[in-house]
Amino acid sequence: MRSGVTIGQAAAYVGVTVKTVRHYHKLGLVAEPGRDGSGYRRYGSADLLRLVQVRTLAAAGVPLAEIGDMLGGGAQRFAEALTEAERRLTEQIKELTARRERLRRLADSDRALLGDRAAALLERMPALGFDADETAALRDGWVLAKALVPEGFDDYLAGVEQAVEDRHFVALIKRGAEAATWSRDDPRIDELATAMVERYLANPVLLRTVTGLQAGSEAATRYQLIAHHGAEQGSAAARLTTLVETRLRAAGVRIPRP
């Protein structure tokens, strides 16, 4: 290549655009070759080699600001710079992989918000007789619980895992969900509260579904936000929750007061 090639040909050979070649010139990464008798710059083999080196490093993710030092610092400096570039790329790959995993988990919102253990429990709810609305309400309450009392959420889930094995208790909880449609003065609310408290006390492990939601600080505020979530003040559901709490306190169970 004694006479060299034009900038357009050089760019095509190397696999970049003419604009990119000129940008490399502007940054001082590639020296501008001399002009021929017609006033055109001609790129020789050494120029093309330099262009290939710069393009390869840039494509590998090496910042353009570092390429000049890499190519001009000798073999040892070049090797060290490549090692550092590889380390950065490895970190980027890890971060991108983590982001991809988070995106995949977001496709399953239950697992993204609650984790595998809680999601697995939610998946069991339809088989236990809970409809879509009841399961959704349960999910929302759990999301709130995990956010407000993260340190107690695992203990709470342990209680739920025990509770779903207790058919009598599951039936009472389903009955409680139905109570949301009752009148606040419905006498069945008092009866249901009594039955629930008796079941709690007969099987104390079930109390973890209550005590697990109690935070170390601001316990009353956090507990009330979770326990009364979705129950409008003055509603049948709110009255049922309040009756159960009052009777459990009377039996010696520690439950934060509003």
Side-chain angles (χ1 to χ4, degrees):
M1 298 183 65
R2 187 168 53 189
S3 58
V5 297
T6 65
I7 187 173
Q9 291 172 314
Y13 291 161
V14 173
V16 295
T17 65
V18 170
K19 182 178 180 180
T20 296
V21 174
R22 287 178 174 150
H23 187 56
Y24 291 165
H25 289 326
K26 182 178 180 181
L27 295 177
L29 298 176
V30 179
E32 290 186 291
R35 299 180 184 275
D36 61 14
S38 301
Y40 293 100
R41 295 192 183 280
R42 292 285 174 173
Y43 292 75
S45 58
D47 301 314
L48 291 176
L49 176 60
R50 180 76 174 195
L51 279 170
V52 169
Q53 291 172 330
V54 173
R55 183 260 296 163
T56 302
L57 291 171
V62 179
L64 293 179
E66 299 177 12
I67 290 177
D69 288 341
M70 289 180 67
L71 294 176
Q76 182 175 352
R77 166 61 185 144
F78 185 75
E80 292 172 350
L82 281 180
T83 299
E84 174 60 19
E86 181 180 3
R87 184 195 66 77
R88 286 199 301 264
L89 283 174
T90 299
E91 290 300 316
Q92 291 173 14
I93 290 170
K94 289 181 180 179
E95 174 60 23
L96 290 172
T97 300
R99 290 183 184 180
R100 182 180 63 183
E101 181 61 25
R102 286 194 291 270
L103 287 173
R104 286 177 175 174
R105 291 177 67 86
L106 284 174
D108 183 342
S109 59
D110 291 346
R111 282 180 165 74
L113 294 170
L114 294 168
D116 293 339
R117 187 179 182 185
L121 281 168
L122 284 174
E123 290 171 355
R124 296 183 60 184
M125 294 302 134
L128 293 172
F130 292 90
D131 63 26
D133 289 340
E134 292 166 348
T135 301
L138 189 60
R139 178 193 302 111
D140 291 345
W142 289 5
V143 170
L144 187 62
K146 184 175 183 182
L148 293 180
V149 193
E151 67 275 23
F153 192 62
D154 283 344
D155 192 48
Y156 168 76
L157 288 182
V160 174
E161 288 167 344
Q162 294 289 328
V164 296
E165 301 300 330
D166 186 325
R167 292 185 179 182
H168 187 179
F169 187 73
V170 170
L172 290 173
I173 295 301
K174 287 169 60 179
R175 187 72 167 157
E178 295 172 7
T181 63
W182 299 350
S183 164
R184 185 181 186 282
D185 298 323
D186 194 311
R188 291 176 296 176
I189 295 175
D190 188 272
E191 296 171 2
L192 180 57
T194 298
M196 293 179 74
V197 170
E198 288 176 350
R199 196 62 188 173
Y200 273 126
L201 299 179
N203 188 1
V205 72
L206 299 177
L207 287 172
R208 297 172 76 177
T209 62
V210 177
T211 58
L213 299 179
Q214 299 177 23
S217 62
E218 299 181 349
T221 300
R222 297 191 194 192
Y223 172 80
Q224 292 297 320
L225 285 170
I226 298 167
H228 293 262
H229 170 70
E232 296 183 7
Q233 187 173 8
S235 67
R239 179 169 175 247
L240 175 62
T241 300
T242 299
L243 284 173
V244 170
E245 291 174 343
T246 299
R247 292 173 186 180
L248 285 177
R249 289 192 193 98
V253 179
R254 181 186 177 278
I255 297 179
R257 294 181 180 276

